[in-house]
Amino acid sequence: GENVEQHPSTLSVQEGDSAVIKCTYSDSASNYFPWYKQELGKGPQLIIDIRSNVGEKKDQRIAVTLNKTAKHFSLHITETQPEDSAVYFCAASKVGNQFYFGTGTSLTVIP
Amino acid sequence: GAVVSQHPSRVICKSGTSVKIECRSLDFQATTMFWYRQFPKQSLMLMATSNEGSKATYEQGVEKDKFLINHASLTLSTLTVTSAHPEDSSFYICSFSGTGGLADTQYFGPGTRLTVL
């Protein structure tokens, strides 16, 4: 089955700086890679996703890059704000199949 | 994005009782649903997957007679924890995926915090 690893487990950045979270996956057949943000006591919220036919996708301050050859993908958050503080999960799947989640990254943005 | 509601948000029950958690998709038809549990500071653990009108497929180690899942319609799924015990205390989260453009991803509910005394 698929195995997704996520690093780092915790990340602290100063407000305004950038944050980068990286994930690797094992199954080369995986073709869909979403990122979720989970605030304390709430369900995960989809923030951005990327499919295997695209190398990069950007939505305002958030971007995701995908390297299919190396089987890794990354979340980039620029100009971080305190409200970006949360736990972020990556996931990998084949479209229409179950998600395999990373172990999560706790991001703290220091004002 | 799609909106998923979950009820109740928190429940406290005595050991041995049963608890039902409802999950509804509010603005799309959910053909596939997933139930997860999440322990503090851990990732999401898939419990089961089901398609509307079909029996759920449970992950290894998840007791189907203990965690009853009913995917009643394209907008409603329920999880019943039967004869709950303290070790069942956890954060339970549902998610749905849809059809067409909504088939790729999963939309999560806000979660239910279950505490079994």
Side-chain angles (χ1 to χ4, degrees):
Chain A
E2 175 65 276
N3 181 46
V4 178
E5 295 188 355
Q6 183 172 345
H7 299 280
S9 58
T10 60
L11 178 61
S12 292
V13 299
Q14 290 292 137
E15 182 177 358
D17 287 350
S18 296
V20 180
I21 303 170
K22 299 182 179 181
C23 288
T24 61
Y25 61 100
S26 61
D27 187 349
S28 58
S30 290
N31 54 12
Y32 177 68
F33 309 92
W35 284 90
Y36 288 88
K37 175 184 181 181
Q38 186 177 27
E39 297 178 344
L40 190 63
K42 298 184 179 180
Q45 180 182 20
L46 179 70
I47 56 171
I48 197 167
D49 57 8
I50 193 167
R51 290 163 179 77
S52 59
N53 59 345
V54 177
E56 184 174 358
K57 184 177 179 180
K58 188 174 182 180
D59 182 4
Q60 299 182 351
R61 296 187 297 110
I62 295 173
V64 56
T65 58
L66 171 65
N67 184 326
K68 285 192 299 181
T69 303
K71 295 205 281 283
H72 67 71
F73 56 112
S74 301
L75 177 70
H76 304 254
I77 306 174
T78 59
E79 300 173 24
T80 54
Q81 301 167 2
E83 50 266 38
D84 294 330
S85 296
V87 178
Y88 291 81
F89 291 98
C90 63
S93 78
K94 296 170 223 179
V95 170
N97 290 279
Q98 75 172 82
F99 284 13
Y100 294 88
F101 285 92
T103 48
T105 296
S106 178
L107 173 65
T108 302
V109 179
I110 304 166
Chain B
V3 180
V4 180
S5 71
Q6 203 169 325
H7 178 80
S9 58
R10 306 177 71 93
V11 57
I12 300 173
C13 69
K14 292 182 178 180
S15 185
T17 61
S18 294
V19 174
K20 179 184 281 188
I21 302 170
E22 286 190 355
C23 181
R24 293 180 184 272
S25 63
L26 300 184
D27 56 357
F28 73 101
Q29 291 188 328
T31 54
T32 306
M33 54 71 58
F34 307 85
W35 283 96
Y36 295 84
R37 63 188 300 181
Q38 186 179 34
F39 293 105
K41 300 191 177 186
Q42 292 190 20
S43 190
L44 292 85
M45 295 172 49
L46 180 65
M47 298 175 66
T49 304
S50 77
N51 294 302
E52 187 263 341
S54 303
K55 287 186 178 180
T57 300
Y58 291 80
E59 294 299 299
Q60 190 172 10
V62 178
E63 300 175 55
K64 62 180 181 180
D65 294 330
K66 182 171 184 61
F67 299 99
L68 302 180
I69 292 170
N70 183 10
H71 194 161
S73 72
L74 288 173
T75 59
L76 173 65
S77 175
T78 61
L79 167 68
T80 302
V81 183
T82 62
S83 187
H85 292 284
E87 57 266 30
D88 298 323
S89 298
S90 188
F91 192 53
Y92 291 88
I93 315 171
C94 66
S95 72
F96 284 114
S97 64
T99 57
L102 296 176
D104 296 352
T105 199
Q106 293 182 28
Y107 298 92
F108 286 84
T112 296
R113 174 72 60 193
L114 170 63
T115 302
V116 184
L117 302 176

